[in-house]
Amino acid sequence: MTGSLGTRLLLAAMLIGLPCAVFGQDLDKRIAAELSSLAALYKELHTNPELSYFEKNTSAREAEELRKAGYEVTYPIGRYPDDKYTCYGVVAVLKNGKGPTVLVRGDMDALPIKENTGLPWASKVRMTDITGEEVGVMHACGHDMHTTVLIGTGRLLAALKDKWKGTLILVGQTAEERGGGARALLADGLYERWPVPDFAIAEHVDPSLEAGKVGYCPGWAMANVDMIDITIRGVGSHGARPNQGKDPIVISAEVINALQTIVSRTIDPVEPAVVTVGSIHGGTKHNIIPDEVKLQLTVRSYAEDVRQTILSSIERITTYTAKAAGVPEGRLPIIDGGVEFTPALYNDPALTERTVKALEPVLGKENLVQIKPTTGGEDFSEYGRTSHKVPVFMMRLGTSPVGSDPESRPGLHSALFKPEHEAVIATGLKALTTAALNLLGK
Ligand SMILES: [Zn+2]
Ligand SMILES: [Zn+2]
């Protein structure tokens, strides 16, 4: 390379890189100015988690914050089937001239987990869930972080209005953990009452990555999720005279073991699939054979034929195991596969690539990590599955201490999940704001 060509290339690189660097510094300053109020908001949300379908205070808080930031807020919105629950969805819109429409989504619900982090802002909340059971409640999936970052991004994009054109739609979504929130918003006219977005983006925390890192996975990224309730019915009797009944506890044990053969014996070994029995409840006392046992399963898959094979195998195994035990026709198992379903998440490859390219100069190439698909599920997928075929992309936001042992990091849905909150808020804001700006018109 000659000196003059080298100089020209360097100059060209500086000219290309300079606006990004300047923008990055400006963004850093703005984020620094917001950080303490957002960290306080995050702690407030973390201390006061609410279960799916009960996000009354969280959503009201979010609506209030976005209104303050200058958005036109519609709240509450969303419709669950049979109007069984109130939907507390939040839609906040900022119109800023002619240009693309970009939807940014953050979910807000917490989980039935008793927190065990010992943090000063740990949750001590207990709530009655949809089954009527009282449970400890914790933000163990980081939806408090998603809400915080969505509000922060809303503030920044309102302040940076001269840097973009178009329509920004911020969506505070409820009931992600029960796979119902996105559908409820779409059922209430999200794509009819507001412009259909040209793109939809979101973030989800990820303890497998260090704080400061952002993960991406083009194409299929998260699995189909089916939640299934099974009631194994038998015939109750005295524990001392099992011959007079049909023991549903023994049948359940056989069913659970037989279910393990679905993935290992009937699914193509190169296809991802999971069958987990996550709960089993039956009986009241040592010496009573109960007349039913309840099981709760989760099934994960990517391909629709794999999903269908698993669902039909569960039905076949459960029914015929009960028949083999001599359960009468009228007492065969009840299998409810329609409890919850979340379709697999497909990150639009072109949108993923475009966003990652925009993030590189702002976050640094070394902080962007291509990750593998997971068997986790996310109903953010729903925003891309209507007839409008909106391209969607969900980034993963690292939460673990830098240099920590990957084996010792508490995962999502763990009572010990504890993100490095300030660093995560800062990176989340930077990534989401940059991604939205890159998609909105100039
Ligand atoms: Zn979760
Ligand atoms: Zn989640």
Side-chain angles (χ1 to χ4, degrees):
M1 188 190 288
T2 67
S4 60
L5 180 62
T7 311
R8 285 207 304 274
L9 284 174
L10 185 64
L11 196 62
M14 281 173 69
L15 286 172
I16 295 164
L18 203 57
C20 289
V22 170
F23 173 67
Q25 285 161 12
D26 178 48
L27 197 56
D28 282 340
K29 262 193 219 151
R30 289 176 187 272
I31 290 170
E34 292 290 345
L35 202 54
S36 71
S37 97
L38 288 173
L41 175 65
Y42 166 76
K43 289 179 185 172
E44 177 194 322
L45 295 171
H46 189 87
T47 310
N48 299 288
E50 292 173 301
L51 289 172
S52 313
Y53 301 126
F54 299 98
E55 308 92 337
K56 192 176 174 189
N57 299 325
T58 311
S59 56
R61 188 79 175 83
E62 184 167 15
E64 172 202 327
E65 283 292 336
L66 291 171
R67 243 176 227 135
K68 252 198 302 192
Y71 287 72
E72 191 185 297
V73 176
T74 305
Y75 164 79
I77 96 142
R79 209 174 57 228
Y80 293 122
D82 311 326
D83 292 321
K84 218 167 154 190
Y85 308 104
T86 311
C87 187
Y88 297 109
V90 179
V91 174
V93 178
L94 194 57
K95 288 187 184 136
N96 190 21
K98 255 201 158 118
T101 298
V102 175
L103 184 152
V104 186
R105 176 272 213 171
D107 47 6
M108 65 174 88
D109 53 324
L111 286 157
I113 295 177
K114 186 175 174 288
E115 178 157 357
N116 204 12
T117 58
L119 289 167
W121 55 88
S123 157
K124 294 185 179 67
V125 170
R126 295 186 67 76
M127 278 178 90
T128 305
D129 71 7
I130 53 170
T131 67
E133 200 185 330
E134 203 194 281
V135 290
V137 186
M138 175 189 176
H139 268 299
C141 203
H143 300 186
D144 48 352
M145 181 60 72
H146 306 165
T147 302
T148 305
V149 171
L150 188 76
I151 291 168
T153 302
R155 288 184 192 168
L156 290 183
L157 288 170
L160 290 164
K161 255 179 115 173
D162 58 333
K163 297 253 187 299
W164 59 275
K165 286 253 174 300
T167 302
L168 177 64
I169 303 178
L170 305 181
V171 172
Q173 189 208 296
T174 56
E176 190 286 322
E177 294 292 353
R178 290 195 170 266
R183 270 202 295 272
L185 287 171
L186 291 162
D188 203 8
L190 182 65
Y191 287 175
E192 285 92 43
R193 292 161 65 186
W194 291 276
V196 176
D198 296 292
F199 308 98
I201 53 172
E203 286 179 336
H204 201 295
V205 293
D206 188 341
S208 75
L209 299 170
E210 293 174 344
K213 306 263 187 220
V214 168
Y216 63 95
C217 177
W220 292 111
M222 298 183 91
N224 287 311
V225 178
D226 282 277
M227 304 291 197
I228 299 161
D229 286 353
I230 299 179
T231 307
I232 308 266
R233 299 183 295 174
V235 177
S237 70
H238 197 296
R241 289 185 289 280
N243 54 307
Q244 293 179 354
K246 298 290 174 206
D247 188 346
I249 289 187
V250 174
I251 299 169
S252 298
E254 288 173 352
V255 166
I256 291 167
N257 277 327
L259 293 177
Q260 310 309 312
T261 63
I262 298 175
V263 174
S264 71
R265 305 291 91 171
T266 62
I267 302 296
D268 183 340
V270 297
E271 292 279 359
V274 178
V275 176
T276 291
V277 180
S279 103
I280 167 165
H281 290 92
T284 51
K285 199 178 181 303
H286 313 66
N287 58 355
I288 299 170
I289 290 178
D291 54 11
E292 65 175 38
V293 171
K294 287 186 181 291
L295 307 180
Q296 291 184 309
L297 279 66
T298 190
V299 169
R300 308 293 162 117
S301 60
Y302 272 94
E304 185 56 25
D305 61 329
V306 170
R307 175 174 175 247
Q308 291 305 334
T309 302
I310 297 174
L311 297 181
S312 61
S313 301
I314 288 172
E315 179 132 17
R316 189 185 64 250
I317 287 170
T318 307
T319 305
Y320 282 93
T321 305
K323 280 190 178 183
V327 170
E329 279 295 322
R331 296 285 299 159
L332 289 176
I334 300 168
I335 301 154
D336 184 0
V339 187
E340 287 161 27
F341 169 61
T342 304
L345 170 68
Y346 184 75
N347 281 328
D348 181 78
L351 174 60
T352 306
E353 195 191 334
R354 180 174 167 185
T355 305
V356 170
K357 273 216 173 92
L359 295 181
E360 270 175 10
V362 178
L363 291 178
K365 215 172 178 169
E366 67 285 3
N367 290 319
L368 287 153
V369 188
Q370 181 156 0
I371 54 173
K372 289 197 280 192
T374 76
T375 48
E378 239 294 344
D379 78 351
F380 179 62
S381 55
E382 300 274 6
Y383 297 92
R385 292 178 77 106
T386 65
S387 59
H388 314 88
K389 302 258 178 283
V390 176
V392 309
F393 171 46
M394 172 172 267
M395 310 173 236
R396 307 290 299 206
L397 194 52
T399 58
S400 291
V402 175
S404 59
D405 172 13
E407 298 296 314
S408 68
R409 295 172 186 165
L412 295 176
H413 294 207
S414 156
L416 299 171
F417 175 63
K418 188 166 60 172
E420 296 289 289
H421 68 280
E422 287 201 0
V424 182
I425 294 170
T427 308
L429 271 183
K430 209 165 173 176
L432 208 52
T433 306
T434 305
L437 278 173
N438 176 51
L439 298 171
L440 288 158
K442 297 271 154 58

